[in-house]
């Protein structure tokens, strides 16, 4: 199956700093990628849809100035958590879908963010 | 009402048991359906697609009932390694492509 790689897997940062997470499709082109957040014992919550060459589409309640998304190429999307606070600590996961397929999503390995 | 609902469990079963998970969805225009497996602190991974005609893969059987808007997953002869959270996932294209995840059902298989 298709491969999506996410980096870093773990990150610990101080409150107030910014953290960038990368999501790469390794063997296919992804015009659209999705970013999720998952808190412990809860389901995946879609944060935003990242569109190559255009602005991301954010879900209701997600601050676009807080969570900056850039999708500059067909294989790379980045999520930057700006001025991180402890409540931003979570598991962030990206996914991508191959156009024309049955809708199966391919997930990155996830990035666990801990803000001290 | 949630768009995709699952029994959160947890289901605690002995090895060798048969366990069934249920899922309902609210959007009758939903187009494709999947079961994903998520291990603790890992990303979800596709377990199997779900069709009206049923889909069987070894010990796993998935079924879709469009009339009832109901999806099921049956695991036979449970193994310790089946312990995970099982996510019901529904895709729709109403107002744009959208993927909705159920909250997941936790399964613990014990020796």
């Amino acid at each position: 199956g298709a491969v999506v790689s996410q980096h870093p897997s773990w990150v610990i940062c101080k409150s107030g700093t910014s953290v960038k997470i990368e999501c790469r499709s390794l063997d296919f082109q992804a015009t659209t990628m999705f970013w999720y957040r998952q808190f412990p014992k809860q389901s995946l919550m879609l944060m935003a849809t990242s569109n190559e060459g255009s602005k991301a589409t954010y879900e209701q309640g997600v601050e676009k100035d807080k969570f900056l998304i850039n999708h500059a190429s067909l294989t790379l999307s980045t999520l930057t958590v700006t001025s991180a606070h402890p409540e931003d600590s979570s598991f962030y996961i990206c996914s991508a879908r191959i156009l024309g397929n049955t809708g199966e999503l391919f997930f990155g390995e996830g990035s666990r963010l801990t803000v001290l | 009402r949630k768009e995709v609902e699952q029994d959160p469990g947890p289901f605690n079963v002995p090895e060798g048991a048969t366990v069934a998970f249920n899922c309902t969805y609210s959007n009758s225009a939903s187009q494709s359906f999947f079961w994903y497996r998520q291990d603790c602190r890992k990303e979800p991974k596709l377990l199997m697609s779900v069709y009206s005609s049923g889909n069987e893969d070894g010990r796993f059987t998935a079924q879709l009932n469009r009339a009832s808007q109901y999806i099921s997953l049956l695991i036979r002869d449970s193994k310790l390694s089946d312990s995970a959270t099982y996510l019901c996932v529904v895709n729709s294209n109403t107002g744009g492509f959208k993927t909705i995840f159920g909250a997941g059902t936790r399964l613990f298989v014990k020796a």
Side-chain angles (χ1 to χ4, degrees), chain A residues 17-72:
Chain A
T17 59
S18 294
V19 174
K20 180 186 285 188
I21 302 169
E22 294 186 347
C23 180
R24 295 180 184 273
S25 57
L26 297 184
D27 52 359
F28 67 101
Q29 293 182 334
T31 56
T32 302
M33 291 185 174
F34 305 93
W35 286 97
Y36 305 85
R37 179 167 54 183
Q38 186 176 35
F39 292 107
K41 298 185 179 181
Q42 295 186 23
S43 187
L44 292 161
M45 295 299 296
L46 179 66
M47 298 175 65
T49 301
S50 172
N51 304 298
E52 188 269 334
S54 65
K55 292 182 180 179
T57 304
Y58 289 82
E59 295 298 300
Q60 191 173 11
V62 178
E63 300 174 56
K64 61 180 181 181
D65 295 329
K66 170 79 173 175
F67 300 99
L68 300 178
I69 291 174
N70 183 279
H71 194 153

Side-chain angles (χ1 to χ4, degrees), chain B residues 30-96:
Chain B
S30 296
Q31 297 177 325
S32 54
F33 311 87
F34 306 88
W35 283 102
Y36 279 75
R37 170 192 169 130
Q38 186 175 22
D39 292 290
C40 187
R41 297 175 179 266
K42 298 286 187 181
E43 77 276 20
K45 293 187 178 178
L46 180 67
L47 181 63
M48 59 199 312
S49 303
V50 190
Y51 310 111
S52 298
S53 56
N55 188 13
E56 184 172 326
D57 182 4
R59 298 181 292 108
F60 299 83
T61 301
Q63 191 75 47
L64 166 66
N65 184 321
R66 283 190 180 271
S68 303
Q69 296 178 203
Y70 169 88
I71 304 161
S72 65
L73 176 67
L74 184 74
I75 305 175
R76 292 179 296 277
D77 188 23
S78 299
K79 310 292 184 188
L80 295 176
S81 58
D82 293 334
S83 298
T85 296
Y86 291 83
L87 303 171
C88 175
V89 180
V90 175
N91 286 336
S92 68
N93 206 10
T94 307

